Each structure stands twice: as C-alpha cells, then as structure tokens.
Amino acid sequence: MTSVAKRKITRPVCLGNVQIGGGAPVAVQSMTCTDTRDVKATVAQIRRLEKAGCEIARVAVPDMDAAMALGAIKKKINLPLIADIHFDYRLALEAIRRGADGIRINPGNMKPGKIREVIKAAKASGTVIRIGINSGSLEKELHAKYGGATADALVASALRNIALFEDMGFEALKISIKSSDVLTTISACRIVSQKTDYPLHLGVTEAGSIIHAAIKSSLGIGILLSEGIGDTIRVSVTGDPVSEVGVAYGILRALEIRKVGPDIISCPTCGRCEIDLVRLTREVEKKLAGMKTYMKIALMGCVVNGPGEAVEADIGIAGGRGFGIIFKKGKMARKVREKDLVPALLEEVKHLAAEKQKSR
Amino acid sequence: MTSVAKRKITRPVCLGNVQIGGGAPVAVQSMTCTDTRDVKATVAQIRRLEKAGCEIARVAVPDMDAAMALGAIKKKINLPLIADIHFDYRLALEAIRRGADGIRINPGNMKPGKIREVIKAAKASGTVIRIGINSGSLEKELHAKYGGATADALVASALRNIALFEDMGFEALKISIKSSDVLTTISACRIVSQKTDYPLHLGVTEAGSIIHAAIKSSLGIGILLSEGIGDTIRVSVTGDPVSEVGVAYGILRALEIRKVGPDIISCPTCGRCEIDLVRLTREVEKKLAGMKTYMKIALMGCVVNGPGEAVEADIGIAGGRGFGIIFKKGKMARKVREKDLVPALLEEVKHLAAEKQKSR
C-alpha cells in the first residue's frame, strides 16, 4: 500500500543533460542570490549549489550586463543554466545568444508580441522556455476579471500563454504556477496538470525564511507530488540558497520519490532522555551535511521507542545513562560511552555508505 | 474552490476546557523535555509553551516520583495536562489520582489485563485516554505477523485496543498512530479514520531537528489535515518544544485551518534585490515571535513581484535601492529609508493588530 499516487508522465524536455518530465526523476533546482554581473561570485555559488545536490541553476537577469555575463558563467559550471527574465524581451534574446540552457519568462510582465520574438529565437537555438506564472505579477486584466490572483486566474494566464507558444509550433516548454499562498498554488497546479501535458515546475513563491519555507514548501510542493503532479521543484528560502536544496531533498526523501541523503530519525527528548541528544543530533547532522547516500539513521534518547526505532534503521543509537548502544541493520553492535558515540556512529555510517556505493 | 477537504466530524472529548474532535478547532499540543520530577522546571516550560500558543501539555512519567509530581504541576498551570505512560500501569493509576486531565498509554508495552485496571480508574475519574500506537513500540506479535511496523500492523494494534476499551464501555478516547516514516503515518491514519469515529491525534514521531521536523510534520500531518483528517496535532522536534508550537501553527495557517499568527511572505532574494532582505526578515520575525493575531505581511526585495505581493498583503514592503515602500491594505502608504523600515513596519503591524483585536 502506498500513500503516494503514481506520477503523471508528462512530455519530456532536456536542459543540458538533465531531462525534465517524461518519467525522469523529479529534478531539484535553485536560484542564485548573487549579482549575476559578478561572474566569480555567481559561479562560486552555483558550485556550492551543485555540491549540495542542486541539478539546475537559475540566475536573475535584470539588465544587459547580467545577460552578457551568462556566457562566462556557463563556461565555468557543470549545471544547466536558466536565465530568469522579466519585462525586457531583449534580455531573453541575449541570454539565448549567450548559451543559456533555458530561459524563464513571466508573461505577466512581457507583451505577447515581444514573447513571439523570444519564441522564434529559442526555437532556432533549441532553448527550453519556462512559462512562469506568479501571483505577484499576474496580467492586470486577468487580475481584474477574476478579482485577484486566484487559482483560476493563474491557470487562465498559463493556458493563454501556452496557446501563444503552440500557435508558433513551440513545445519545448515547462510550466510553473506559483503563488505565495499554499492553497492557491495547489489548486492552480492541480487544474493545469489536468489541462496540459507539459512538465510542471513546482514551488511556493516567497515562502519566507528557512522554517517557514520548509513548512509552506512541504505542504505546497509535497501535496502535489503526493498526487503524482510535478517534474521539477524549487524551494524558495529567504537566505542561503544552498538550504533550498536540503529542504527539497527532504521533501522528496520523506515521500520516497527520491532517496537521496541520510534520513535522520531523532526523538524529541522528554523526561526520559538520559543523554544529550539535542547536541548529538546537531553534531551528526553537521558532519553528514551534503552526504548523498541514502540510509536511515535513528538517534534515540531512551528505551521506550529507542531500540524499536534503532532496529528498523540502517544504523541506530539508543541512549542510556552516560552511554549508548549502536545498532547496525537491526542488530545490537556495541555499547559505547556517550563521549565516543558520535565518532563511533560516523565510522559506521562511512562503512555503510562505502558498501552501498560498491553495490551500486 | 478549496484545496482542503471538509473536516471529518469525530466524537468530542474534553481535556479540561479544551474540546478535541466534534468540530472543535484542531488543537495544538506539545510535550515537555524537562525532568517531570523537577516541578519548577516543568511548570516553567509549560508556561513558555502556553505563551507560544500551546493548548495541551504532555509530560513524561517514567517513574512513581514523576507521577506524584503531577498534582503540584497541575496546580500551577492553566493548560490541560496529559501524563505519558509506558510499561507500568501503576504510573497511570497514580497519574489519574493526581488529577491528570488525560493519560496517554502505549498498548505496545502494557498488558491488556493491566490496561483494564487503568480503564476502570479513568472511567471513575472521567479521565480521557489516548491510545498511542507508535512504530517503535508495536506489539511483538503484530510486528511478526505483518513483517514490521507497517501501516496495517499499526492499524491492527489500534483497532484491537479500541475493542478492549469498548468492551469495558469506555469511550473517552483519542487515538494516535505515529510512525517515524511519513508515508506509513499517512496510510495508517487514513485507514483508522475510515474505521473509527474517535478523535485522532496526528504526528510524525521522532521527526528530527527543527528543519527536518518541519518538513516531515508538514507532509505527514499536513496531507492528512488537507483530507479532513485530524483533531489535534503535535509536531515532534529534537530541541526546544516551544519551536514545535510555531511549526504546528505554521501548518494550520498555511492550510487555512486556523488563522493564528502573522503569515510572513518574503522573497528568496536574487540578483535583483537591492536591500538587505535576509537581515530585515530575520529582524521582523524575531520581533513578531509569539504574536497571535493573523495578518499577511509581505517583505519583498524588488519590483518584479514586490508591489504585486505587497498589495495583496495586509501590510507589505517593496524594496528599492536604500529605501522601501510600505503598503497598507493594498495601498502605497509611504516611502522610508532602509534603516527606518523595520520600526516603521512594526508600528503598522501594531496598529493593525490593535484594530483587529477591537473588531473581534
């Protein structure tokens, strides 16, 4: 029995060597917060994102200098590069010329006539385009017609723009409909997923600082993914974009859509806990940051659920007074003093990760 | 159009003056991590939880001294008090005697004969009982029969224990089925919600430190709530339990199930952002921590979605180079220098909160 619906198979598009849709794994995206004109800083951030597991990098292109910097950036990175364009179609044309793998345009702030110019250029160069509808920048007349940036208004904007692209025979499309409102995002994406077969990029826009972003994105993105909707995701965090990648994989891992990185199960501690589990958990998380191999690691403070959870995990600790028992694959492995627990656990994790790598 | 299903109406039970189920608001719970025998520390933590909006407090009762401390704790707090009991039915009897509003027992680690003793005492005193099934402590024979702590195994444990209570004419029940696995939690709660009418307490157990806990709980609790399932929730965080309350309200607010506290919409910043939005967001969040009044506050770094989002919010900022524009109820109110933005915004928030309080 599964709680997650079978994924809808959408039409595939390729961003560099990353396929989106068509049954490909749900791809994790992020966006830089550097000044795109600063090539060095932007490249450094994209490399940090890549190291964290990000698979597609988007950069803001607010002016012509930023558009012209894309060529230099592209040369120095491995990830597919998306140029984020608003208002000025000439920036889109320049981004295409400079070799962006994809561009994202926002039809709410670009005229249909100008969008046609962009489509022509993208078609000639094989560039993917994301139609990125956003609650904060919906076309004015749709805002008026629907009485706000409602789900129906956002869907109407998406469909009307899809038609514009299809009229010109352009189908290398991704679609996103993002609202800062979680329920509007869910409703709009459900409808658009029924009405089209293009791959969908999911996200709750302006979701806030990390904890708020984790909540809103898990709900907005997670509920849709659990219904089989969505081909690529971006968690929006006010803060270091590297943290967006961690949250994205956390969502995918919990829903068992992609098993990447350690699943750390740790108890909330209570009046029964006899070891400093909060500190221990923090240390283990810090040491394992960026690890890609999937495994279940249980960090448990006492004997109520401790041994039970530790046994179910690949590697587990159940704490006692001043010591802990390490479990491996369901079997008690050894008893260690509290101060030696973290190194002993990390050693086991390292061994298991190496084994898993070998058996791949 | 709504993305959240109508809530299932369950049989109501009352914990002190807090109704659970029967159409009452979804109640927010937490659990102390103090030594319950330390009355002063436990009371202090429960008061902090109450201040943060927690509506029901649970404490661990690992031994007779902890059970005997409940009377003194109960006298000094306003929240309904739940005693969390494992293994020893005598602790449950003592907790009932000391005036606990509810007890939580874990049938995986208490014999049916002993549970009957507890039921008798709870019936005589009007104490509510939660049957708390947990993946880490499932009855051994069910674990063997189902090949692990699967959703079906957890449901079988719940149903068998419900029957034991019903046989004795006891119906002041709440049910919880928690797994550290998000999908198992969802599957098990869906089934048990179809099979019984008792109010359900939702949670993903041992969900980890705050960000992981926010992800897993938003998915596990949130997907169920969005289907109309769940009467009370607890977010489990390895860390300060006060943070559990914030995440719980974040989930309820995003799903529009309970509108408590500020909904802060803030952009992820990008190459377009011209103010220090990360710092500004952190400051605003810190200043508004614990605020109960609901309002939408948009903190936006630039002109792409900034004015659009700021206009939709109750109060908003759209940043420019070294300044910001404050929006109130969709209208531009004033332009302020960046350094004056936070105090100016907080002043507006205070005014609006006072207005909202008055009009209630």
Side-chain angles (χ1 to χ4, degrees):
Chain A
M1 184 186 38
T2 172
S3 331
V4 169
K6 213 173 147 217
R7 286 184 52 217
K8 175 180 169 178
I9 303 298
T10 52
R11 305 188 201 186
V13 295
C14 279
L15 285 164
N17 54 7
V18 177
Q19 181 180 319
I20 307 291
V26 175
V28 171
Q29 312 204 10
S30 184
M31 184 170 178
T32 56
C33 61
T34 53
D35 183 333
T36 307
R37 295 166 298 190
D38 183 343
V39 173
K40 201 173 153 190
T42 303
V43 166
Q45 196 172 64
I46 291 175
R47 288 190 182 157
R48 282 179 61 230
L49 286 169
E50 183 184 6
K51 211 173 151 199
C54 178
E55 295 165 317
I56 297 162
R58 179 159 49 115
V59 299
V61 181
D63 60 24
M64 200 45 88
D65 286 342
M68 290 188 337
L70 297 178
I73 293 170
K74 179 76 187 134
K75 267 190 210 129
K76 290 181 181 150
I77 61 169
N78 302 310
L79 297 184
L81 184 66
I82 313 283
D84 195 70
I85 315 278
H86 297 267
F87 307 114
D88 188 349
Y89 79 107
R90 289 167 299 185
L91 302 176
L93 298 181
E94 187 63 27
I96 291 169
R97 218 172 289 138
R98 298 281 172 173
D101 299 286
I103 60 169
R104 176 268 169 113
I105 59 168
N106 184 336
N109 55 36
M110 207 179 278
K111 292 213 172 75
K114 304 303 185 189
I115 294 177
R116 280 195 199 98
E117 296 285 308
V118 177
I119 296 173
K120 244 185 269 173
K123 208 174 169 182
S125 64
T127 311
V128 172
I129 298 184
R130 167 154 70 93
I131 301 178
I133 311 295
N134 201 302
S135 59
S137 49
L138 180 68
E139 292 100 313
K140 281 207 181 84
E141 73 272 26
L142 291 174
H143 202 283
K145 182 176 169 190
Y146 289 89
T150 63
D152 289 327
L154 297 168
V155 170
S157 172
L159 295 179
R160 150 168 134 171
N161 282 285
I162 289 170
L164 175 70
F165 280 74
E166 287 179 340
D167 279 351
M168 292 186 65
F170 188 91
E171 297 190 345
L173 281 178
K174 287 181 296 168
I175 312 296
S176 70
I177 303 190
K178 299 186 182 184
S179 168
S180 57
D181 184 82
V182 169
L183 299 187
T184 304
T185 302
I186 295 171
S187 295
C189 290
R190 277 181 184 156
I191 303 170
V192 92
S193 167
Q194 283 172 349
K195 300 209 170 184
T196 82
D197 284 326
Y198 293 107
L200 293 189
H201 165 121
L202 304 183
V204 174
T205 195
E206 295 113 21
S209 60
I210 181 83
I211 297 171
H212 297 285
I215 297 170
K216 289 185 183 176
S217 304
S218 298
L219 291 169
I221 296 173
I223 288 176
L224 290 164
L225 286 175
S226 78
E227 295 171 2
I229 298 169
D231 301 284
T232 177
I233 66 176
R234 187 226 174 166
V235 171
S236 156
V237 172
T238 305
D240 185 350
V242 167
S243 66
E244 299 181 352
V245 180
V247 174
Y249 281 109
I251 295 170
L252 293 170
R253 191 166 54 235
L255 293 176
E256 296 180 18
I257 288 172
R258 285 185 70 182
K259 291 189 167 180
V260 175
D263 181 12
I264 298 178
I265 291 149
S266 68
C267 78
T269 80
C270 69
R272 284 182 192 88
C273 190
E274 296 184 316
I275 59 171
D276 187 351
L277 195 77
V278 175
R279 192 187 51 77
L280 189 145
T281 302
R282 205 178 297 135
E283 258 186 78
V284 171
E285 282 181 349
K286 207 172 149 188
K287 294 280 186 187
L288 299 184
M291 178 170 116
K292 304 289 187 308
T293 312
Y294 173 80
M295 62 179 73
K296 276 201 184 205
I297 302 171
L299 309 175
M300 305 291 297
C302 85
V303 293
V304 170
N305 295 314
E309 286 293 342
V311 159
E312 297 268 332
D314 291 302
I315 295 173
I317 286 174
R321 191 185 299 272
F323 71 95
I325 293 164
I326 294 193
F327 291 79
K328 272 169 69 179
K329 296 271 170 198
K331 289 198 177 102
M332 218 187 277
R334 52 195 167 125
K335 188 170 168 177
V336 272
R337 284 174 302 178
E338 182 170 357
K339 73 175 186 53
D340 302 323
L341 262 174
V342 174
L345 181 83
L346 292 175
E347 202 188 318
E348 298 294 351
V349 170
K350 211 174 128 188
H351 280 305
L352 182 60
E355 267 175 44
K356 290 200 174 203
Q357 283 302 317
K358 234 189 281 172
S359 69
R360 278 179 68 181
Chain B
M1 183 186 40
T2 171
S3 332
V4 168
K6 211 171 150 220
R7 285 186 52 217
K8 176 180 168 177
I9 303 298
T10 52
R11 304 188 202 186
V13 295
C14 279
L15 286 163
N17 53 7
V18 178
Q19 181 180 320
I20 308 290
V26 175
V28 171
Q29 311 205 8
S30 184
M31 186 170 178
T32 56
C33 60
T34 53
D35 183 334
T36 307
R37 294 166 299 190
D38 183 343
V39 172
K40 202 174 152 189
T42 304
V43 166
Q45 196 173 63
I46 292 174
R47 288 190 182 155
R48 280 179 61 231
L49 286 169
E50 182 184 7
K51 212 175 151 198
C54 177
E55 295 165 317
I56 298 164
R58 179 158 51 114
V59 299
V61 180
D63 61 23
M64 200 45 88
D65 286 343
M68 292 190 331
L70 297 178
I73 293 169
K74 179 80 187 129
K75 266 190 211 128
K76 290 180 181 151
I77 61 170
N78 302 311
L79 297 184
L81 184 66
I82 314 283
D84 194 70
I85 314 278
H86 297 269
F87 307 114
D88 189 348
Y89 78 109
R90 288 166 301 186
L91 301 177
L93 298 181
E94 188 63 27
I96 291 169
R97 218 173 286 137
R98 299 282 172 173
D101 298 286
I103 60 170
R104 175 269 169 114
I105 60 167
N106 184 335
N109 56 35
M110 208 180 277
K111 293 214 170 75
K114 303 304 185 188
I115 294 177
R116 280 195 200 96
E117 295 285 309
V118 177
I119 297 173
K120 244 186 268 173
K123 207 173 171 182
S125 64
T127 312
V128 171
I129 297 183
R130 167 154 70 96
I131 300 177
I133 312 294
N134 200 302
S135 59
S137 49
L138 180 69
E139 291 99 313
K140 280 206 182 81
E141 72 273 27
L142 291 175
H143 202 282
K145 184 177 168 189
Y146 289 89
T150 63
D152 289 327
L154 297 168
V155 171
S157 172
L159 294 180
R160 150 167 134 172
N161 282 284
I162 290 171
L164 174 72
F165 280 74
E166 287 180 340
D167 279 350
M168 292 186 64
F170 188 92
E171 298 190 343
L173 281 178
K174 285 181 298 169
I175 312 296
S176 69
I177 303 190
K178 296 186 184 183
S179 169
S180 55
D181 184 83
V182 169
L183 298 187
T184 305
T185 302
I186 295 171
S187 295
C189 290
R190 277 181 184 156
I191 302 171
V192 92
S193 168
Q194 283 172 348
K195 298 210 171 185
T196 81
D197 284 326
Y198 294 106
L200 293 189
H201 166 121
L202 304 183
V204 174
T205 194
E206 294 111 22
S209 59
I210 181 82
I211 297 170
H212 297 286
I215 296 169
K216 290 186 182 178
S217 304
S218 297
L219 291 168
I221 296 172
I223 288 177
L224 289 165
L225 286 175
S226 78
E227 295 171 2
I229 298 169
D231 302 284
T232 175
I233 67 176
R234 187 227 174 165
V235 171
S236 157
V237 172
T238 305
D240 185 350
V242 167
S243 66
E244 299 182 350
V245 179
V247 175
Y249 280 109
I251 296 170
L252 294 170
R253 190 167 55 235
L255 293 175
E256 296 180 18
I257 288 172
R258 285 184 71 182
K259 291 189 167 179
V260 175
D263 182 10
I264 298 178
I265 292 150
S266 67
C267 78
T269 79
C270 70
R272 284 182 193 87
C273 191
E274 296 184 316
I275 60 171
D276 187 353
L277 195 77
V278 175
R279 192 187 52 73
L280 189 145
T281 303
R282 205 178 298 134
E283 257 187 79
V284 170
E285 283 182 350
K286 206 170 150 190
K287 294 282 186 185
L288 299 183
M291 178 171 118
K292 304 291 189 303
T293 311
Y294 174 80
M295 62 180 73
K296 277 201 184 204
I297 302 171
L299 310 175
M300 306 291 296
C302 85
V303 294
V304 171
N305 295 313
E309 286 292 344
V311 159
E312 297 269 332
D314 290 303
I315 295 173
I317 286 174
R321 192 185 297 271
F323 72 94
I325 293 164
I326 295 193
F327 290 80
K328 273 168 70 179
K329 296 269 170 198
K331 287 196 179 108
M332 217 187 278
R334 51 194 168 125
K335 187 170 167 177
V336 271
R337 283 175 303 178
E338 182 171 355
K339 72 173 187 54
D340 301 324
L341 261 174
V342 174
L345 180 81
L346 293 174
E347 201 189 320
E348 297 295 350
V349 169
K350 210 173 130 188
H351 280 306
L352 181 60
E355 266 176 43
K356 290 201 173 203
Q357 283 302 317
K358 235 190 278 173
S359 68
R360 277 177 69 180

